[in-house]
Amino acid sequence: MDAWLVDLDRTAPTDITANYPEGLTEDELRRGAEFVHARAAHRFFRARLAVRRLLADRLGTDPHGLRIHYDPAGKPHLPDHPGTHISWSRSDGLLLLGATESGPIGVDVELVRPETTNLDVLAFVYPAMPRTASPETFFHAWTLLEAAVKATGRGLTEGAGDVGLTFPADGSVFLHGIDGHGPDPWYGHTRLEPTRQDAPWAMTAFVSHELRPPALIPWPPRTARARPVGLAAAA
């Protein structure tokens, strides 16, 4: 598996449609033009261009000719490269992209902001969450759930009940299976990654049939930071 964490704010937002038409589809240009704020459009366009360029480099093909299609549930796939499975996620100015040949993959990224830690929301989506779960589990559990339902091609509403999570006392969260989605075992990995000053950390999650977590490639390179107090180690 290959995985990239891309900072979409490396350049300031300007006239997006003038700077980014090449390599985007008409649908993507239309969707980007619907954003009210230039920064939101900038991030959307940069994300779509980054996905094509990184995947094309990996596959040894032209990014302008790389076709990305979506199934009825919105899961992306590459019709010209059916053996390569892909998934991506955006959180504000961050893009997480994963690709593998080992089978379905789901990824998720969330900026770690204390005000977004809401165990009531998590319990509503995932009723099996134990009452003893601590706030430190939120980002581990939420991203694992999102990545798992992306891997299976189902949304949180339909797919969260299929996902089995374990909540150890240390505040970490582990994926122990996904019911009804093939005999091969599923593996989930979460990891805290440094990002930027306004939200210095992001939680990343990967769910696939691969036992080992991917080596995440950040761009641009980041310097190491101390782990925020109160956040559990990655699973």
Side-chain angles (χ1 to χ4, degrees):
M1 183 193 305
D2 292 312
W4 302 266
L5 184 63
V6 180
D7 186 346
L8 300 173
D9 292 334
R10 286 179 293 175
T11 59
T14 55
D15 184 355
I16 302 304
T17 56
N19 289 340
Y20 293 120
E22 187 177 359
L24 295 168
T25 66
E26 291 185 4
D27 179 66
E28 288 166 339
L29 290 171
R30 177 189 56 78
R31 290 179 60 187
E34 293 174 352
F35 286 97
V36 175
H37 300 291
R39 173 169 288 184
H42 166 82
R43 289 170 171 173
F44 174 80
F45 287 140
R46 282 197 65 90
R48 293 306 176 95
L49 288 171
V51 165
R52 277 201 181 81
R53 289 171 182 174
L54 290 169
L55 292 176
D57 286 347
R58 186 180 188 273
L59 295 166
T61 188
D62 178 10
H64 302 306
L66 183 66
R67 295 193 302 154
I68 301 175
H69 287 188
Y70 303 85
D71 68 15
K75 184 177 176 62
H77 62 96
L78 305 175
D80 301 322
H81 305 272
T84 298
H85 300 264
I86 60 173
S87 179
W88 68 77
S89 171
R90 281 203 305 132
S91 181
D92 287 349
L94 292 178
L95 166 72
L96 181 65
L97 171 66
T100 183
E101 281 70 43
S102 67
I105 177 179
V107 306
D108 190 58
V109 60
E110 299 289 343
L111 287 174
V112 176
R113 291 190 171 106
E115 64 271 18
T116 61
T117 302
N118 193 326
L119 289 179
D120 291 336
V121 173
L122 179 58
F124 178 79
V125 174
Y126 191 73
M129 184 190 76
R131 294 182 178 180
T132 56
S134 64
E136 291 78 15
T137 67
F138 176 82
F139 286 101
H140 292 290
W142 188 267
T143 55
L144 273 177
L145 277 174
E146 287 273 18
V149 297
K150 287 181 179 180
T152 60
R154 308 185 74 189
L156 279 174
T157 302
E158 296 181 349
D162 299 334
V163 181
L165 299 179
T166 301
F167 294 77
D170 64 0
S172 59
V173 182
F174 294 92
L175 175 72
H176 63 75
I178 306 177
D179 293 336
H181 294 279
D184 295 333
W186 292 94
Y187 299 100
H189 306 280
T190 57
R191 187 160 60 207
L192 201 61
E193 294 290 339
T195 58
R196 56 181 192 264
Q197 293 302 319
D198 63 325
W201 294 92
M203 187 68 75
T204 62
F206 304 86
V207 171
S208 70
H209 293 308
E210 298 189 25
L211 176 62
R212 297 177 61 86
L216 187 61
I217 304 170
W219 185 261
R222 301 289 182 177
T223 57
R225 297 193 183 108
R227 183 182 303 278
V229 175
L231 194 61

